[in-house]
Amino acid sequence: MRAALRIPKLVVYVAGLVPAAWTFYLGLQDRLGPEPIKALEQELGLWSLRFLLLCLLISPLRRAGVDLLRYRRALGLLAFYYAALHLSAYVALDHGFDWTAIGRDILKRPYVTIGMAAFVILVPLAATSNNAAIRRLGAAAWARLHRLVYVAAILAAAHFLLIVKSWPAEPLLYAAATIALLAARALPAARRARTASAS
Amino acid sequence: AAALAAARSAFSTNEPKTPRADVLAYNNFYEFGGRKSDPADNAHTLTTEPWTVRIDGLVAKPADYRLEDLIKPLALEERVYRMRCVEGWSMVIPWIGAPLSEILKRVEPLGSAKYVAFETLVRPEEMPGQKGLLQLLPWPYVEGLRLDEALHPLTILATGLYGETLPNQNGAPLRLVVPWKYGFKGIKSIVRISLTETQPKTSWNIQNPREYGFYSNVNPNVDHPRWSQATERRIGEGGLFAKRRPTLMYNGYADQVASLYSGMDLERYF
């Protein structure tokens, strides 16, 4: 992992945005299959979820002895950028700025409501993902606020599960990964609490 | 696929046809997997010869019919129909087939017959979606129509599309096409047709009765519980910046079929 530690953060940002640029390029070339808008929209959403889960992987990895903490902010911001692109694709390409239909969707369709909620949660997290915000809020308050990422991840995984017909493997696997990453935090915390009360 | 001659039908739409490549590449046929590309990738394993269709239930002449015998007496027609998927996309497909009514008349339905039930092949060794850990539906896939819907002149059994015999991924060698209903009613690779007195079970209704009803008529005013059915996206139409188009009542076939449902509460019988 020593090599990974030397990667400049800028490289993470640039590499992280490659899938968005590449998918959009394929779309312009008409190479995204019979439903290009849906393909682009889903790809952007999926990458947002992937970066969220990578974010959640940093802490368990540290306990296992691999410290990638310095990349967590980049991964979190990438999750937000992809969520914003996903939402833009939904608003502009999928619905052609039909605000009535979009508003109805947000109010009436639980999967849209949930996806929108996940995005709204990510906004303050992205806005405070800088050193100045940490200083202003204080480390403790900042950390408390950023625990909202757990809620965002659960909502994002649910958003994926709720749009599919039947029970295909992919959204189930992402939901399982989300649960596993949250459990990886809850279990040590519970154990700490037990030892603390026992002593 | 072999060339298949057919007379053009007056029931055809003049709208631009969905490119053949898209019709062949973008399918829901869960027997071959859950992704839209799975049928095109996997369905080549299906053997469609010999093929037998059992026609039974409330008919005077129940029998196991060899497909050739069933098809031979029919005058095949090309029917260019709109196809609206329940997921919100649509195509325009030049099917080749014959009215289901022609076949039903030959087997002589009894007076007590009120419904027609259909069943798809179960052959896990050739249909990868029917084996393994995660199977998306209970098999066999089953569908059904009311007898008057089945006898309607728009309802066809298709044996081909785009001038050739049906590609496997589109439901070879014999599938149902009911253009005013959501696409999943068009059951593929049919091995059994039964006439019944009671309403037959249908696969998606078994899977999720709250979301998929027996009728499943295309209706922009009755939403799927999870998404709107007011608009649709026409496959192959304009890439990344294509606009949605409004979905039409009974998929644009209201003049021909609305009378089948007069007086029915379409919110309840969705």
Side-chain angles (χ1 to χ4, degrees):
Chain A
M1 283 336 274
R2 295 200 70 85
L5 286 173
R6 281 197 295 271
I7 298 173
K9 285 177 202 153
L10 184 65
V11 173
V12 176
Y13 284 105
V14 172
L17 287 169
V18 166
W22 177 244
T23 311
F24 192 69
Y25 168 78
L26 289 181
L28 293 177
Q29 300 279 314
D30 207 8
R31 285 160 61 193
L32 283 182
E35 267 200 288
I37 295 173
K38 194 171 173 189
L40 174 70
E41 196 175 78
Q42 290 184 345
E43 192 67 7
L44 294 169
L46 199 52
W47 276 103
S48 179
L49 181 55
R50 284 173 186 152
F51 281 118
L52 262 186
L53 296 183
L54 284 176
C55 252
L56 293 182
L57 191 59
I58 301 289
S59 287
L61 274 183
R62 280 182 88 199
R63 275 203 305 281
V66 181
D67 191 355
L68 298 174
L69 188 61
R70 68 191 223 95
Y71 301 110
R72 190 164 67 183
R73 180 183 290 168
L75 295 172
L77 282 171
L78 281 166
F80 170 73
Y81 298 152
Y82 272 93
L85 289 170
H86 173 65
L87 178 61
S88 308
Y90 165 80
V91 169
L93 300 179
D94 199 352
H95 284 283
F97 299 100
D98 181 348
W99 297 109
T100 325
I102 293 166
R104 232 187 349 248
D105 255 7
I106 294 173
L107 293 177
K108 269 184 72 178
R109 318 278 165 214
Y111 82 93
V112 185
T113 317
I114 286 174
M116 201 60 213
F119 177 74
V120 167
I121 287 175
L122 289 181
V123 172
L125 303 193
T128 55
S129 284
N130 53 70
N131 295 341
I134 297 175
R135 273 195 305 277
R136 210 168 47 246
L137 288 170
W142 184 91
R144 239 188 343 267
L145 173 67
H146 278 249
R147 260 178 235 139
L148 280 175
V149 72
Y150 306 148
V151 182
I154 291 169
L155 293 177
H159 173 62
F160 191 7
L161 262 181
L162 279 174
I163 186 58
V164 293
K165 275 166 48 197
S166 185
W167 296 102
E170 204 184 7
L172 287 172
L173 291 174
Y174 277 94
T178 310
I179 291 165
L181 286 168
L182 295 179
R185 300 172 151 66
L187 295 180
R191 202 176 309 133
R192 272 198 306 279
R194 250 200 324 275
T195 5
S197 63
S199 56
Chain B
L4 198 58
R8 194 169 162 83
S9 158
F11 288 117
S12 287
T13 168
N14 291 318
E15 289 169 76
K17 288 175 252 181
T18 303
R20 181 177 176 276
D22 290 337
V23 176
L24 268 59
Y26 202 68
N27 306 106
N28 282 320
F29 195 171
Y30 285 7
E31 283 81 345
F32 295 102
R35 283 172 306 184
K36 299 278 189 299
S37 54
D38 284 339
D41 290 342
N42 299 331
H44 59 91
T45 53
L46 179 68
T47 16
T48 56
E49 280 176 67
W51 194 273
T52 308
V53 182
R54 170 166 295 178
I55 304 186
D56 62 0
L58 304 173
V59 291
K61 297 178 181 170
D64 287 347
Y65 291 88
R66 280 164 45 202
L67 182 66
E68 330 54 294
D69 300 337
L70 202 59
I71 298 301
K72 205 181 296 162
L74 301 175
L76 293 181
E77 298 171 34
E78 183 179 72
R79 302 270 183 112
V80 186
Y81 280 163
R82 290 177 290 276
M83 206 279 293
R84 169 63 154 80
C85 178
V86 73
E87 296 166 359
W89 52 269
S90 63
M91 294 186 178
V92 176
I93 305 175
W95 301 107
I96 295 170
L100 172 61
S101 63
E102 305 268 316
I103 285 171
L104 292 181
K105 274 176 211 149
R106 273 192 4 239
V107 298
E108 296 173 16
L110 304 179
S112 52
K114 294 196 172 58
Y115 294 92
V116 186
F118 304 85
E119 209 175 290
T120 295
L121 179 72
V122 179
R123 195 182 285 163
E125 62 276 21
E126 293 183 5
M127 296 175 136
Q130 289 180 339
K131 58 187 175 196
L133 208 58
L134 206 72
Q135 298 185 29
L136 296 167
L137 289 169
W139 315 113
Y141 192 91
V142 287
E143 258 306 339
L145 296 172
R146 231 166 49 187
L147 186 57
D148 59 344
E149 297 175 322
L151 293 174
H152 193 279
L154 283 175
T155 305
I156 59 167
L157 283 177
T159 59
L161 62 80
Y162 260 110
E164 296 182 331
T165 54
L166 272 182
N168 285 356
Q169 64 266 38
N170 297 89
L174 186 71
R175 67 166 290 163
L176 179 68
V177 179
V178 195
W180 71 92
K181 290 175 180 283
Y182 291 118
F184 67 85
K185 293 293 286 184
I187 184 169
K188 303 182 177 89
S189 305
I190 297 169
V191 292
R192 187 172 178 194
I193 300 173
S194 309
L195 281 90
T196 64
E197 190 163 7
T198 52
Q199 184 176 298
K201 289 197 181 315
T202 60
S203 283
W204 278 102
N205 182 252
I206 297 168
Q207 163 84 345
N208 195 337
R210 212 175 63 85
E211 300 191 349
Y212 307 99
F214 173 79
Y215 286 95
S216 293
N217 292 319
V218 175
N219 186 342
N221 308 313
V222 176
D223 287 335
H224 186 279
R226 286 181 289 148
W227 56 81
S228 164
Q229 295 291 25
T231 59
E232 66 200 52
R233 205 173 283 292
R234 185 64 56 85
I235 298 295
E237 197 177 64
L240 265 193
F241 304 102
K243 282 204 162 47
R244 287 170 178 271
R245 49 170 70 218
T247 288
L248 304 174
M249 190 64 202
Y250 297 116
N251 203 22
Y253 298 96
D255 287 351
Q256 293 100 314
V257 303
S259 60
L260 293 173
Y261 310 102
S262 56
M264 272 174 67
D265 177 357
L266 300 180
E267 297 265 354
R268 182 163 171 224
Y269 298 101
F270 59 88

